[in-house]
Amino acid sequence: MLAPILAIAIFAVAFFFIATEKFNRVAVVLVAGGLMAAIGLTNAENIFYSHHAGIDWGVIFLLLGMMVIVGIIKQTGIFEALGIWAAQKSKGKPYRLLVLLMVITAVASPFLDNVTTIMLVAPVTLSVCRRLDIPAAPYLIAEVLASNIGGAATLIGDPPNIIIASRANLTFMDFIYHMTPIVIVMFVLFVLMARFMFRKSFVYHPERVNLVMEMDASAPIRDKKLLYRCLGVLLLVMIAFSVHHVFHMDPAIVALLGAGVMVMVAGVRTSEYLAEVEWATLVFFMGLFVMVGSLVHTGVIEHIGSWAINAVGDNYFAAATSLVFGSAILGAFFDNIPYAATMAPIVEGLAAGAPDPATGQSLWWAFALGADLGGNGTALAASANVVMLGIAARANEPISFWKFTKYGIVTTIVTTIVAWIYVWLRYFVWV
């Protein structure tokens, strides 16, 4: 009984220090993770080899591969060119620019996964904001929130969906049929919400806009031959991401292979592309995975999930409600990837006892929606959030835990309520 209490206490203290930013967040997770291992709340075998109670190396190497790819593409000047294009298309109008970037992000996320999308879109955002002399934070936050919503639409768009699909034997088209309709509704609603959520952050400088409107969008491109080679490799990587489930190839392998090919065709020096890797972000993820893994290993997350499920008994609508809201709340604090991996067997058992397959499957969709949307709850709730914070900090545009979370909580509450209404109507009313 003592181990779960200690795990919760250490996690809560670490979360407090990260949220208040009293100490460097990387130092906090390393100390907390090391302390949990030292007192036996987890062990080396779990940390390095357990898929759901240790470091998720798939996420780490996916990020590493994409960081190398983005770092090499960055040298071509394409991000600056796209930034000028976005500024010109929006005519520098803040809300119009915000919607343009959000749409690009939300449309790409279901097919590239939300982490990859953010790594590609964030540099463009930083470039356009510098050109227009406007703060990048609201645009980056809106993009990652849109990415987490959009990524929920498909099997490959958000990591929890991959875990759920594997456990429930769901196909890519199952997600299109059940998840995409409500994702479109939630995204449209979020676009409308963003007009008011970020209105105080909108800045417009006519003189800067006039300068950008006169620019040649292709001028920043420094090496067109290198650009064409890099875009060719990137296209192949994107195709591989879209069909990786067909060939049973992990996305991390795709990213690493793509990074290797990109290095070969670009001919850049090792020091140049490794300098673009967000090492602090990768180490932060490792420490965070150890912390959450300790909660998994000591049974904390499983007990919370089992208690919530058992409380509803044979009332499957109550179970679906518990899965939507419970997953959104827990996923917001414990990172939705290990949370989904831990809860999947519990949901599988609950679905197996359902009176019919349709009712059982409705629980999986309730679980998927809650876990995906919970990723917007706090700055630590999803991989894409942490990656975006790292990119912003590296660009001297730091975004605090609470600055992100104050927008994320509102978005999560509204979209989760909409998702719950959808589950209720589609699976328990219109049957």
Side-chain angles (χ1 to χ4, degrees):
M1 188 62 189
L2 181 60
I5 295 174
L6 287 174
I8 293 173
I10 295 172
F11 187 91
V13 171
F15 199 92
F16 170 78
F17 284 135
I18 293 171
T20 57
E21 300 181 330
K22 289 183 176 296
F23 298 99
N24 179 276
R25 60 177 187 161
V26 177
V28 171
V29 296
L30 287 178
V31 171
L35 181 59
M36 286 174 158
I39 63 177
L41 301 181
T42 187
N43 54 51
E45 184 175 352
N46 278 329
I47 291 173
F48 296 112
Y49 302 111
S50 175
H51 186 66
H52 72 283
I55 297 173
D56 191 332
W57 295 109
V59 172
I60 299 299
F61 285 112
L62 170 65
L63 293 175
L64 176 61
M66 290 310 302
M67 285 174 181
V68 171
I69 289 173
V70 171
I72 294 174
I73 294 176
K74 182 179 178 181
Q75 297 183 31
T76 67
I78 186 62
F79 293 137
E80 290 89 341
L82 289 173
I84 295 172
W85 173 85
Q88 292 175 342
K89 283 294 181 182
S90 64
K91 297 182 179 178
K93 299 296 179 64
Y95 181 60
R96 191 181 298 178
L97 175 62
L98 185 75
V99 172
L100 174 63
L101 294 171
M102 285 167 55
V103 168
I104 292 171
T105 305
V107 171
S109 291
F111 304 101
L112 305 184
D113 83 61
N114 47 17
V115 173
T116 303
T117 302
I118 287 300
M119 293 184 69
L120 292 172
V121 176
V124 177
T125 305
L126 290 167
S127 176
V128 67
C129 289
R130 288 194 191 100
R131 296 280 183 183
L132 297 174
D133 192 25
I134 57 178
Y139 298 90
L140 292 170
I141 293 172
E143 284 166 8
V144 81
L145 296 177
S147 178
N148 287 330
I149 294 172
T154 69
L155 186 155
I156 62 173
D158 213 352
N161 289 2
I162 299 174
I163 296 169
I164 291 168
S166 175
R167 197 85 191 193
N169 294 317
L170 299 172
T171 67
F172 189 89
M173 290 310 299
D174 287 333
F175 277 84
I176 294 292
Y177 181 70
H178 290 274
M179 297 285 280
T180 301
I182 188 58
V183 165
I184 293 173
V185 172
M186 291 188 296
F187 176 69
V188 171
L189 177 61
F190 177 60
V191 169
L192 298 176
M193 290 171 55
R195 180 70 179 88
F196 302 96
M197 288 170 58
F198 299 101
R199 67 185 184 280
K200 293 182 179 180
S201 301
F202 291 150
V203 178
Y204 182 74
H205 299 298
E207 68 284 356
R208 296 301 292 263
V209 174
N210 291 334
L211 289 174
V212 171
M213 294 301 291
E214 295 174 358
M215 290 181 176
D216 177 6
S218 63
I221 297 176
R222 295 181 283 274
D223 188 335
K224 288 188 177 181
K225 289 184 179 180
L226 175 61
L227 173 62
Y228 295 147
R229 292 198 299 269
C230 290
L231 291 181
V233 175
L234 181 63
L235 177 61
L236 292 175
V237 170
M238 298 302 101
I239 294 173
F241 274 136
S242 300
V243 299
H244 76 90
H245 58 286
V246 177
F247 298 100
H248 305 290
M249 181 180 291
D250 193 279
I253 302 299
V254 174
L256 289 175
L257 184 60
V261 175
M262 186 77 79
V263 170
M264 290 176 62
V265 302
V268 295
R269 292 193 299 270
T270 303
S271 58
E272 292 178 336
Y273 62 80
L274 288 184
E276 297 296 330
V277 173
E278 301 281 344
W279 297 108
T281 299
L282 296 180
V283 174
F284 177 79
F285 267 118
M286 292 180 196
L288 186 63
F289 279 132
V290 173
M291 288 170 54
V292 177
S294 297
L295 295 177
V296 174
H297 183 63
T298 55
V300 172
I301 295 179
E302 184 177 1
H303 278 96
I304 294 173
S306 297
W307 174 82
I309 297 301
N310 292 333
V312 301
D314 294 328
N315 186 332
Y316 286 92
F317 173 63
T321 300
S322 176
L323 284 170
V324 172
F325 288 105
S327 297
I329 293 170
L330 292 174
F333 292 95
F334 298 130
D335 188 289
N336 57 9
I337 297 176
Y339 169 76
T342 303
M343 281 295 294
I346 299 173
V347 178
E348 184 179 30
L350 187 65
D356 56 80
T359 301
Q361 198 173 84
S362 70
L363 301 180
W364 285 113
W365 301 124
F367 178 40
L369 285 167
D372 291 343
L373 298 175
N376 278 334
T378 68
L380 305 182
S383 301
N385 307 4
V386 178
V387 169
M388 184 275 292
L389 293 180
I391 293 173
R394 189 183 181 94
N396 294 318
E397 295 270 1
I399 298 172
S400 70
F401 177 92
W402 288 112
K403 187 168 188 174
F404 177 94
T405 303
K406 71 178 181 181
Y407 296 111
I409 286 178
V410 173
T411 303
T412 298
I413 291 173
V414 173
T415 53
T416 302
I417 291 173
V418 172
W420 172 72
I421 293 172
Y422 169 76
V423 169
W424 171 57
L425 290 176
R426 179 160 183 175
Y427 302 111
F428 296 93
V429 176
W430 298 333
V431 292

